[in-house]
Amino acid sequence: LFENAIGKRPIKMKQFPSKTERSCTGLLEFENKSDGIEGLVMVNHTPVNSPGGKTPFIFKLCFSAMPMSS
């Protein structure tokens, strides 16, 4: 999604264990704040097709002030 929208991808990604098949959560970290803002503006609320699902997932983003630990 990010490469298509802004030509960049996050430098770190972490997916958390999901409690349901209908949603999941995780963290993304970008090279800098500007890339993160651009990614949020261009990709937030993008529908993502769900194989076998009746409706697409909606990709929702928000900010965190803390960087991800390694």
Side-chain angles (χ1 to χ4, degrees):
L1 292 175
F2 292 100
E3 282 185 337
N4 289 336
I6 65 172
K8 300 170 189 166
R9 60 172 52 193
I11 59 171
K12 292 182 185 176
M13 294 183 276
K14 180 176 182 175
Q15 185 175 344
F16 299 129
S18 181
K19 294 178 183 172
T20 72
E21 292 181 16
R22 212 34 225 143
S23 68
C24 67
T25 58
L27 298 172
L28 302 171
E29 185 174 322
F30 284 88
E31 182 89 26
N32 54 56
K33 193 182 294 187
S34 177
D35 289 351
I37 292 169
E38 187 176 11
L40 183 132
V41 169
M42 297 303 292
V43 177
N44 201 24
H45 290 251
T46 298
V48 177
N49 288 331
S50 171
K54 294 179 184 178
T55 60
F57 290 103
I58 302 299
F59 198 72
K60 296 181 183 179
L61 302 169
C62 63
F63 282 105
S64 171
M66 299 298 296
M68 291 172 51
S69 59
S70 298

